[in-house]
Amino acid sequence: KQEVTQIPAALSVPEGENLVLNCSFTDSAIYNLQWFRQDPGKGLTSLLLIQSSQREQTSGRLNASLDKSSGRSTLYIAASQPGDSATYLCAVRPPNTGFQKLVFGTGTRLLVSP
Amino acid sequence: GAGVSQTPSNKVTEKGKYVELRCDPISGHTALYWYRQSLGQGPEFLIYFQGTGAADDSGLPNDRFFAVRPEGSVSTLKIQRTERGDSAVYLCASSLNGGTTYNEQFFGPGTRLTVL
């Protein structure tokens, strides 16, 4: 059974810092990995999706890397801003359960202080 | 509509009651998913529809949970004889289709269910 773990569970940083969020998964045979942002009382917003054949994806100040063989992904946020405060979730699509099911980690709660 | 919508946004009910949660997917999306997110946890998969049929309902916790999508668009998640442990945020997502590797799911804001 695929399990996804995110470390740290919570992170508090001052504005302007660069930071890294970690995601690990137990079964390296995945179709893709996706990073989401969740704001309180709101749904999930997709940030980056990395196909299994890719090593990284970038969008603005965000960069996500994927190392399938070691079962790890990182989300790098450059020059953090208070507006980045949210919960960040990673999710994988494992092949043995079909194309459709996402398996999520428990998330990292990020607080960026002005 | 522009995105996935869910109603109600909040639902408070008493133990033992029946509830229905509604999801309106993005227009034209054939695949629809339900997830449940308990406090402090990531979302957990419940059920996936491709068109009108439930292609994968392996995440439904027991037979008190049932979901339908009769016309291949709007979906309703139904919970009978609610229990306090059913309290969670129920998230709905849709995607253009469900059968390809690249298949981005777009999520609604969720329905927060509280069972007293």
Side-chain angles (χ1 to χ4, degrees), chain A residues 68-81:
Chain A
K68 271 185 54 178
S69 60
S70 66
R72 294 182 181 181
S73 176
T74 61
L75 179 66
Y76 175 83
I77 302 177
S80 58
Q81 303 171 358

Side-chain angles (χ1 to χ4, degrees), chain A residues 18-96:
Chain A
N18 302 325
L19 56 99
V20 174
L21 308 182
N22 297 289
C23 172
S24 61
F25 44 96
T26 54
D27 187 345
S28 62
I30 63 171
Y31 279 125
N32 57 45
L33 182 144
Q34 201 164 355
W35 282 93
F36 292 88
R37 168 184 174 138
Q38 185 172 33
D39 294 280
K42 298 187 178 180
L44 279 63
T45 302
S46 179
L47 298 173
L48 292 164
L49 184 148
I50 310 177
Q51 300 293 344
S52 60
S53 59
Q54 297 174 322
R55 298 282 295 181
E56 66 177 338
Q57 282 285 342
T58 298
S59 176
R61 294 182 294 107
L62 305 179
N63 175 276
S65 67
L66 174 64
D67 184 343
K68 271 185 54 178
S69 60
S70 66
R72 294 182 181 181
S73 176
T74 61
L75 179 66
Y76 175 83
I77 302 177
S80 58
Q81 303 171 358
D84 295 330
S85 299
T87 295
Y88 291 81
L89 295 158
C90 72
V92 300
R93 176 168 286 116
N96 60 337

Side-chain angles (χ1 to χ4, degrees), chain B residues 38-92:
Chain B
S38 300
L39 190 64
Q41 302 296 314
E44 292 181 305
F45 171 82
L46 295 177
I47 186 170
Y48 152 67
F49 286 89
Q50 181 59 47
T52 60
D56 184 349
D57 64 357
S58 61
L60 294 178
N62 52 59
D63 61 6
R64 295 186 298 105
F65 288 75
F66 189 72
V68 296
R69 195 185 185 200
E71 298 179 358
S73 178
V74 171
S75 176
T76 304
L77 179 65
K78 307 180 180 189
I79 310 174
Q80 299 177 322
R81 305 183 304 279
T82 52
E83 300 177 356
R84 292 192 179 88
D86 298 335
S87 296
V89 175
Y90 289 81
L91 296 166
C92 176

